[in-house]
Amino acid sequence: GWDIQTKAAFKGQAARLQLWDRQKMSKVVVVGDLNVGKTSLIKRFCKDVFERDYKATIGVDFEIERFQILGVPFSLQIWDTAGQEKFKCIASTYYRGAQVIVTVFDMADIQSLNHARQWLEEAMRENDPNSCFIFLVGTKTDLLVSPSDERERTEKDAVHIAAEMHAEFWTLSAKTGKT
Ligand SMILES: Nc1nc2c(ncn2[C@@H]2O[C@H](COP(=O)(O)OP(=O)(O)OP(=O)(O)O)[C@@H](O)[C@H]2O)c(=O)[nH]1
């Protein structure tokens, strides 16, 4: 009867909508050493704020960022993972299904850049390498004397590592909000 037909129509519509929705929800996973500024980067991106006090991420956290391109709504599910070794096991269970992997390092801490490849490798283990966009992001640029030999050296190393990682390289400061 009419009732069954409308129900079926609604269900079809709902399924189509859901499919449409899912295609526009992208999963972003942010990884990197502890204290490099992953949470700060996400907070700056989603809320345009900065907190000076450090609060370690416990396991994982996430933010949803919605935006429109030519009137079409999109959303990003941004997973903020903990850099602390003891939380790695929990955090890594959230790597799967990422369309974007953001590997973060501290521009003032060369060790965190040296660890970037390891972080990416671990995140990629759970994902299809052909369907991921990869970023290498150097943070805390406000702490660097610029221009300086040290900054130049770090940037040169980072460009090199980004190429190996097939990543797009960015530098920024979550504190000032400048790239
Ligand atoms: N000067 C400066 N400090 C920053 C910047 N980004 C983050 N910080 C500071 O660095 C510390 C660590 O930042 P978080 O964003 O919590 O680091 P995280 O990578 O999320 O750390 P975990 O959650 O432990 O993995 C905090 O005290 C921040 O205020 C930046 O761009 N400039």
Side-chain angles (χ1 to χ4, degrees), residues 35-101:
N35 202 48
V36 294
K38 299 180 293 298
T39 303
S40 305
L41 169 67
I42 295 166
K43 291 274 186 292
R44 172 61 79 188
F45 179 76
C46 295
K47 300 190 168 131
D48 208 17
V49 294
F50 177 74
E51 279 167 41
R52 196 173 38 84
D53 296 331
Y54 171 58
K55 280 198 287 315
T57 303
I58 312 291
V60 284
D61 215 338
F62 82 98
E63 294 274 350
I64 302 269
E65 173 74 5
R66 295 174 203 284
F67 57 96
Q68 293 195 351
I69 296 175
L70 302 171
V72 180
F74 290 86
S75 48
L76 293 177
Q77 203 182 72
I78 306 173
W79 291 87
D80 180 11
T81 66
Q84 275 183 60
E85 193 64 37
K86 63 177 170 186
F87 298 126
K88 228 177 194 176
C89 205
I90 314 172
S92 65
T93 61
Y94 293 87
Y95 293 164
R96 183 159 303 168
Q99 275 95 25
V100 180
I101 298 170

